Amino acid sequence: MSRGQAARRVRILRVASELGAREGLASVQMHDVAKEAGVAIATLYRYFPSKPYLFLAVLEWHIEQFLGGREGGREGGREGAATVDEPVDPAAEVAHTLIALSAKLLDSPLLASAVALSSFTEYASVVPARIDVVRSALGQRILRLLGGRADPETARSRVRLLVYGWWGLFVAMLTEEISTEQGEADLRLAARLIAAA
């Protein structure tokens, strides 16, 4: 992808994020995204073949942006973060990352709903390219945090369990099936159990 294409893609994702956060998934029209992003509708569909596919890309882009601002998996200066001299607790770091990511996404409820609904819609249809969660930005971050103690297939399974567990808890918090506090406690427990396995 050329620099211009990458910039165009980011512009589309940014516009879709803004519209989704303001209007929700049902009200966002692909023509409006194209118009506000300054691209032809055909160009938009070349990058993103459907609205749910676009909002799945928005989710992944937000995760990448979030993780890009977290050097080494830790936010600078967060209370309780391990210092250079302190040992890192992989389970605690994974839990903190997933909890902070949830909070960031839940800050914009309409956009969070848009990406959640899109994931259900897109995965129920023919998906142009299934996402390998282990190779995703979030999967790679969790893999690094857990370290290389396990054989590769066990490490991949741990990452899948954590990402899919996080997603289920995120949706449950979004739909208020469980409280944010309960979701965070469950994420800590899941990270501790899976990291210890």
Side-chain angles (χ1 to χ4, degrees):
M1 187 179 289
S2 73
R3 182 176 293 152
Q5 290 170 321
R8 190 175 304 118
R9 183 178 189 278
V10 168
R11 195 166 62 245
I12 292 167
L13 292 170
R14 184 171 287 118
V15 166
S17 295
E18 291 167 2
L19 289 172
R22 192 171 58 233
E23 300 174 16
L25 184 66
S27 298
V28 174
Q29 300 299 313
M30 293 293 270
H31 280 83
D32 295 333
V33 174
K35 182 178 177 183
E36 289 199 31
V39 299
I41 190 71
T43 301
L44 175 62
Y45 278 109
R46 246 192 330 272
Y47 283 92
F48 307 102
S50 69
K51 185 166 64 169
Y53 192 77
L54 169 62
F55 277 90
L56 279 178
V58 165
L59 172 63
E60 189 62 25
W61 181 65
H62 276 272
I63 291 171
E64 290 168 1
Q65 297 299 304
F66 171 79
L67 294 174
R70 297 172 55 82
E71 183 181 342
R74 293 184 205 107
E75 287 180 319
R78 80 168 169 88
E79 189 175 325
T83 64
V84 175
D85 298 329
E86 295 176 26
V88 174
D89 176 1
E93 289 298 319
V94 167
H96 177 75
T97 298
L98 295 174
I99 288 167
L101 175 57
S102 296
K104 177 72 174 157
L105 293 172
L106 290 169
D107 276 347
S108 181
L110 285 177
L111 183 59
S113 293
V115 298
L117 287 170
S118 292
S119 74
F120 301 138
T121 302
E122 192 63 22
Y123 279 94
S125 66
V126 178
V127 180
R130 296 257 182 212
I131 296 171
D132 178 351
V133 296
V134 178
R135 290 186 182 182
S136 70
L138 182 58
Q140 289 297 298
R141 174 61 58 86
I142 292 171
L143 197 59
R144 282 194 303 277
L145 289 173
L146 291 177
R149 297 185 324 252
D151 67 89
E153 199 46 49
T154 300
R156 290 178 58 79
S157 292
R158 286 179 179 170
V159 170
R160 281 191 298 269
L161 286 167
L162 285 162
V163 172
Y164 289 134
W166 163 73
W167 181 251
L169 289 167
F170 169 74
V171 170
M173 288 184 281
L174 175 64
T175 59
E176 298 180 348
E177 290 179 44
I178 61 173
S179 68
T180 302
E181 294 77 18
Q182 184 61 59
E184 291 176 1
D186 289 352
L187 282 169
R188 286 188 191 93
L189 176 61
R192 198 165 56 248
L193 293 174
I194 293 169

